[in-house]
Amino acid sequence: MGKPLSISRDLNLNLEDLIGQCIAILGIRGSGKSNTAGVIFEELLQNNYPLSIVDIEGEYFGLKEKYEVLVVGTGEGVEIEIDAHCAAEIAQVSMEQNVPVVLDLSGFLSEERTELLKAYLSALWNLAGTFRKPYMIGIEEAHEFIPQGVKNELKEMIARIALRGRKRGLGGIVVSQRSAKVDKDVLSQAGMLFLHRVVHEVDMRVYSELLPWRKTEVKEIINSLDTGDCIYVNGDNILPIYVRERSTFHAGFTPSLEVVQSPELRSVSASIIDTIEKAREGKGAKSATEKLEERIEQLERMLDSKDERISELEEVARTLGYIKLEIPALVREGHPAESLPEKTQRVAQSLPIVIAEDAVDITDSITIPSIPVPEPVSMANRQEDDSDEAVDRDLPPAVAQHMERLVARFGRAGTLHRRVLAFLIEHAPGSYSAHQIAAWTRCPQELIEDDPPYEFLHAGLILRERRTSGTLYRSALRAYVNREFKVFQPDIGERGLHRVTGLLRDRLAVIV
Ligand SMILES: Nc1ncnc2c1ncn2[C@@H]1O[C@H](COP(=O)(O)OP(=O)(O)OP(=O)(O)O)[C@@H](O)[C@H]1O
Ligand SMILES: [Mg+2]
């Protein structure tokens, strides 16, 4: 007789059923995935089952309302600040001393997040080989780490846990709103599925492959699911269930007008924090001063590239004889010019301006969010100029060819993704929210949030950063060129790399 779990009134499940299990929780935004994952975590914690939760939105700290969970990461609300250097120590304490850990990755840049997660998961994998005891790893927004059709070290590590973790007692809970974008090999390893509502045809197709029903039946049943409802699948056992609500605070709740009380949180014992702090110091985690110095360097680099961009724009203006600014209707209708970004204001002040009366197509059927967002410096005529100029005579043919290949590859991305890329490149080094990008690209914000430009994010051409104010996107063209053209660096030097960055910037800014 196992220990019964209270996940749903309609479901008889025992703790033992979860050992070494790979569980997938899928569904669209707001369908109740995180709540379902939270309920499973609550049941595991209730039974002192050791676990780690990879939390990229910072929404699982609420488990501390009832359970002693250690929240590590960076930024507000974490108990211990960590980076990739000391990730293995945290994993060790968690595995050895059964300390449940929430790895709050919401404050990290995407590269830092990847490094930290690689260090953490590889330590857990090795430790599990020694300890061979039940341990669960939960991963939110799994499509970001195990995307279909992409190969990288982190993905291989997660796939290995899903494929071969059972023998070591390792189980996984992968949560994703993009069923079609999650690696099929990992999904096929999921012995237990919680399928919440989906609407997109591609996701419905994935469900059709996972469920033994006719497509029309799948569509009909899935469409009828409400928040918290899902189809539970475990081998031949397939049944619709309603998952209970989390009993601890769900920081990812959909905001309402009601006042939400912050929960009282429990802390893990001081001795555990002490053990980790010691291990961390031993591993030479960066001091606060070192971190500040790094940040200052980073900001200085940003200022440099901003100044460079201004000079480039001024050069373009001199060449063309004038700058044509396209001002959105919203700006023309009374919004002060100060609402334009500083860069645009400075260029605008120093040069003659022609206001394009027909700049905005306000008959566009797509709703434009009501914030003033700058149009970039007009790219009129630039395409033709560039087609001949693109192959720079100063650069070796191999470099120019490589550039052409990249431009062609990026040109094959979807229209929306290309527009986002062009916007970010054009407005580098600024960081912009999906809301601002949506306003410029005249595309619904939801579409950008649901379908961010993954190919560019994975290539490292665009970076996504989580700040307390929300998710921001920015161009990382310079770093990308430095990586991608590294092999040519001995021949073309820093100046050459700089030239390539400039040329690529011009090409990609008009790739819409
Ligand atoms: N079983 C449930 N009973 C009642 N309310 C629920 C249930 N599941 C989820 N909710 C509520 O619905 C809202 C969305 O739930 P949740 O955050 O779990 O969705 P999600 O699928 O994880 O969304 P996202 O993809 O945006 O993260 C929340 O306010 C949550 O409290
Ligand atoms: Mg969620």
Side-chain angles (χ1 to χ4, degrees):
M1 176 76 188
K3 283 189 185 161
L5 301 177
S6 156
I7 290 173
S8 161
R9 258 188 272 157
D10 318 309
L11 184 63
N12 289 322
L13 206 56
N14 292 324
L15 187 62
E16 290 69 16
D17 299 328
L18 301 191
I19 298 176
Q21 186 65 265
C22 181
I23 302 170
I25 304 176
L26 307 175
I28 51 160
R29 291 175 71 193
S31 57
K33 302 177 299 294
S34 297
N35 181 78
T36 298
V39 166
I40 299 175
F41 294 137
E42 283 176 355
E43 290 298 310
L44 292 171
L45 291 169
Q46 189 66 34
N47 289 285
N48 297 317
Y49 196 108
L51 54 85
S52 284
I53 302 170
V54 178
D55 179 8
I56 70 170
E57 299 280 359
E59 57 182 339
Y60 284 99
F61 71 87
L63 289 167
K64 287 170 73 64
E65 205 180 355
K66 252 187 165 171
Y67 306 103
E68 285 192 8
V69 177
L70 178 68
V71 181
V72 299
T74 191
E76 259 177 69
V78 308
E79 288 159 287
I80 298 187
E81 291 260 342
I82 65 160
D83 55 26
H85 295 90
C86 53
E89 278 66 40
I90 307 281
Q92 186 165 357
V93 172
S94 175
M95 178 72 80
E96 272 179 13
Q97 304 187 33
N98 284 356
V99 178
V101 169
V102 170
L103 214 50
D104 181 342
L105 302 183
S106 58
F108 289 104
L109 298 177
S110 60
E111 294 94 338
E112 294 169 333
R113 200 169 72 180
T114 306
E115 286 314 304
L116 197 155
L117 210 47
K118 274 197 305 202
Y120 191 78
L121 294 180
S122 102
L124 277 183
W125 174 259
N126 294 333
L127 287 158
T130 311
F131 283 84
R132 293 192 178 264
K133 66 178 191 183
Y135 192 98
M136 189 62 87
I137 303 171
I139 302 182
E140 266 280 355
E141 309 285 350
H143 53 275
E144 299 224 2
F145 305 113
I146 42 172
Q148 172 69 5
V150 173
K151 262 192 160 185
N152 62 47
E153 224 183 307
L154 179 58
K155 179 177 163 183
E156 277 167 23
M157 207 171 274
I158 297 173
R160 190 168 59 202
I161 293 172
L163 265 57
R164 304 195 346 245
R166 193 182 52 77
K167 286 183 194 150
R168 300 179 176 217
L170 278 185
I173 301 180
V174 292
V175 184
S176 176
Q177 54 174 262
R178 309 300 311 270
S179 325
K181 296 219 163 175
V182 179
D183 184 70
K184 297 287 167 300
D185 288 343
V186 175
L187 262 195
S188 66
Q189 289 306 310
M192 192 179 285
L193 300 156
F194 292 83
L195 304 179
H196 286 268
R197 202 160 81 85
V198 288
V199 287
H200 298 304
E201 199 50 48
V202 277
D203 295 326
M204 215 50 105
R205 244 177 274 147
V206 175
Y207 275 23
S208 294
E209 282 166 23
L210 297 169
L211 292 163
W213 302 329
R214 274 182 289 129
K215 277 189 182 153
T216 47
E217 283 173 338
V218 171
K219 207 166 184 173
E220 201 177 313
I221 295 170
I222 296 297
N223 275 335
S224 69
L225 298 176
D226 221 330
T227 308
D229 292 335
C230 62
I231 305 296
Y232 167 80
V233 184
N234 187 356
D236 291 339
N237 189 9
I238 299 176
L239 66 155
I241 60 169
Y242 167 75
V243 177
R244 72 164 170 83
E245 235 180 313
R246 265 176 73 165
S247 62
T248 50
F249 180 71
H250 178 24
F253 68 93
T254 308
S256 72
L257 294 174
E258 285 170 37
V259 179
V260 179
Q261 296 284 342
S262 294
E264 292 229 353
L265 305 175
R266 298 165 72 110
S267 293
V268 291
S269 71
S271 68
I272 286 176
I273 302 250
D274 200 41
T275 314
I276 294 172
E277 290 286 10
K278 285 211 178 89
R280 209 170 68 112
E281 279 159 26
K283 277 286 159 180
K286 283 182 193 152
S287 69
T289 322
E290 280 172 327
K291 278 187 185 163
L292 267 181
E293 279 170 359
E294 256 181 27
R295 182 76 184 131
I296 290 169
E297 265 177 36
Q298 195 184 3
L299 289 171
E300 279 173 351
R301 277 199 302 274
M302 278 172 71
L303 268 181
D304 283 352
S305 68
K306 204 167 182 173
D307 283 345
E308 264 170 37
R309 184 76 183 119
I310 291 170
S311 330
E312 279 170 19
L313 280 175
E314 286 171 346
E315 203 180 311
V316 172
R318 265 195 300 279
T319 315
L320 295 177
Y322 69 93
I323 269 192
K324 181 179 165 195
L325 275 188
E326 295 178 352
I327 310 288
L330 288 162
V331 176
R332 277 191 268 131
E333 281 166 18
H335 284 275
E338 294 81 64
S339 57
L340 298 172
E342 190 198 345
K343 182 172 64 183
T344 312
Q345 280 184 48
R346 281 164 66 181
V347 173
Q349 277 160 15
S350 63
L351 295 156
I353 295 169
V354 176
I355 305 284
E357 285 302 329
D358 57 350
V360 173
D361 178 10
I362 48 174
T363 58
D364 207 327
S365 58
I366 296 168
T367 319
I368 304 172
S370 58
I371 54 163
V373 169
E375 290 281 355
V377 174
S378 170
M379 288 292 152
N381 305 327
R382 189 120 163 231
Q383 194 105 40
E384 301 95 87
D385 293 349
D386 278 348
S387 53
D388 289 337
E389 303 263 358
V391 182
D392 193 305
R393 278 176 217 96
D394 303 342
L395 294 170
V399 176
Q401 269 167 18
H402 190 47
M403 241 173 56
E404 292 302 324
R405 263 198 302 274
L406 291 176
V407 173
R409 189 199 301 163
F410 295 142
R412 286 195 290 273
T415 315
L416 169 65
H417 289 188
R418 279 184 283 126
R419 289 170 92 177
V420 173
L421 175 70
F423 172 76
L424 292 175
I425 290 214
E426 181 68 358
H427 292 82
S431 298
Y432 297 89
S433 66
H435 186 47
Q436 290 169 308
I437 299 171
W440 186 83
T441 54
R442 305 209 188 102
C443 133
Q445 182 179 342
E446 296 75 30
L447 205 58
I448 293 176
E449 283 167 347
D450 284 356
D451 186 23
Y454 283 107
E455 60 278 71
F456 301 137
L457 285 164
H458 287 305
L461 190 50
I462 290 179
L463 288 185
R464 182 161 42 175
E465 302 165 349
R466 285 183 200 278
R467 307 260 176 88
T468 37
S469 56
T471 302
L472 299 181
Y473 297 81
R474 70 177 168 86
S475 152
L477 179 63
R478 180 175 300 276
Y480 175 80
V481 168
N482 287 347
R483 273 196 313 276
E484 191 66 37
F485 288 81
K486 198 171 169 190
V487 287
F488 300 111
Q489 207 257 357
D491 291 336
I492 61 174
E494 284 303 315
R495 277 196 65 202
L497 287 180
H498 183 69
R499 185 80 189 115
V500 171
T501 309
L503 286 168
L504 264 183
R505 181 184 293 138
D506 290 348
R507 299 292 299 280
L508 297 178
V510 291
I511 202 167
V512 288

